[in-house]
Amino acid sequence: MDKFVRSAGSNNVYYEPFLGGGAVFLNLKPNKAVIADTNEELIKSFKCFQDNDSYFRLIDQLIEYEEKHSEEFYYELRAIDRRSDFNNLDDYLIAARMIYLNKACFNGLYRVNSNGYFNVPSGKKKNVRAYDKENFDSIYDYFNSSDITIKRDDYEKVVESAKPGDFVYFDPPYDVLE
């Protein structure tokens, strides 16, 4: 697999239609990839790493959130997705909220209720480190030196363009067994 992913000049494309946190994708760092998920906030977060202005605004926002961190602040920020104008916020604000909540919540969970609102309780942490300069810069550099297409779409549509020789990594969401 490593030979496929890192082969210079290769036309092969890496596809990951259930991106989630992107652990496999970010570990392999393919030269050309199509990554996707149906979670709009997640996709907006990854797209911030492709846009210079959004990237630096995201960092500034995360640093501000770290400084404001408290139990009360966590719940105020968590409730923002209930506002009617939430989806009109700039992508970097939605991304910063998602990243901060993930770092400050209980066990780094991502869960929404039946209305689609994030509902994980606070992790009751004294301090939160939402911005990791080394990690963020590494992701930013990778995204801006590679051919990465980011989509918010159903997995079937994402892989429609896959061709022989491409690699499709299906790591579907996990469901509870009854």
Side-chain angles (χ1 to χ4, degrees):
M1 167 109 88
D2 194 47
K3 182 179 177 186
F4 160 78
V5 172
R6 301 190 191 281
S7 60
S10 173
N11 290 330
N12 299 94
V13 180
Y14 173 92
Y15 286 81
E16 189 166 344
F18 300 106
L19 184 61
V24 172
F25 165 70
L26 291 171
N27 184 49
L28 294 175
K29 294 185 177 171
N31 295 321
K32 187 170 184 159
V34 176
I35 57 175
D37 204 286
T38 57
N39 182 323
E40 186 170 11
E41 292 177 51
L42 177 70
I43 292 304
K44 287 180 178 186
S45 298
F46 274 101
K47 284 185 174 184
C48 283
F49 287 90
Q50 286 185 314
D51 178 78
N52 194 50
D53 186 54
S54 293
Y55 177 68
F56 289 105
R57 286 177 184 236
L58 170 65
I59 291 169
D60 289 344
Q61 196 67 51
L62 287 171
I63 292 169
E64 180 182 327
Y65 289 169
E66 288 175 347
E67 292 168 357
K68 289 182 173 179
H69 174 69
S70 69
E71 194 83 359
E72 180 181 349
F73 178 73
Y74 174 85
Y75 284 107
E76 286 174 13
L77 194 60
R78 188 183 86 164
I80 288 176
D81 63 356
R82 288 141 177 89
R83 294 184 353 200
S84 62
D85 66 339
F86 176 70
N87 288 321
N88 296 329
L89 294 174
D90 289 331
D91 288 357
Y92 78 91
L93 290 171
I94 291 173
R97 176 185 172 272
M98 181 178 194
I99 294 167
Y100 167 80
L101 291 176
N102 177 258
K103 296 297 184 182
C105 75
F106 178 75
N107 281 350
L109 295 173
Y110 181 85
R111 180 185 70 208
V112 296
N113 63 21
S114 61
N115 294 320
Y117 301 137
F118 186 80
N119 70 349
V120 180
S122 167
K124 301 189 182 300
K125 299 172 184 174
K126 183 174 174 127
N127 297 304
V128 170
R129 184 173 176 217
Y131 169 58
D132 177 337
K133 180 178 176 19
E134 184 178 326
N135 187 39
F136 273 52
D137 286 351
S138 174
I139 295 168
Y140 175 79
D141 291 344
Y142 165 60
F143 271 59
N144 287 280
S145 64
S146 303
D147 183 4
I148 310 299
T149 301
I150 304 172
K151 297 181 174 190
R152 179 181 175 251
D153 217 338
D154 181 78
Y155 77 96
E156 291 178 305
K157 289 184 180 181
V158 172
V159 299
E160 281 179 346
S161 60
K163 296 176 177 50
D166 292 343
F167 182 82
V168 180
Y169 177 62
F170 281 111
D171 184 18
Y174 301 96
D175 199 1
V176 179
L177 294 175
E178 300 207 12

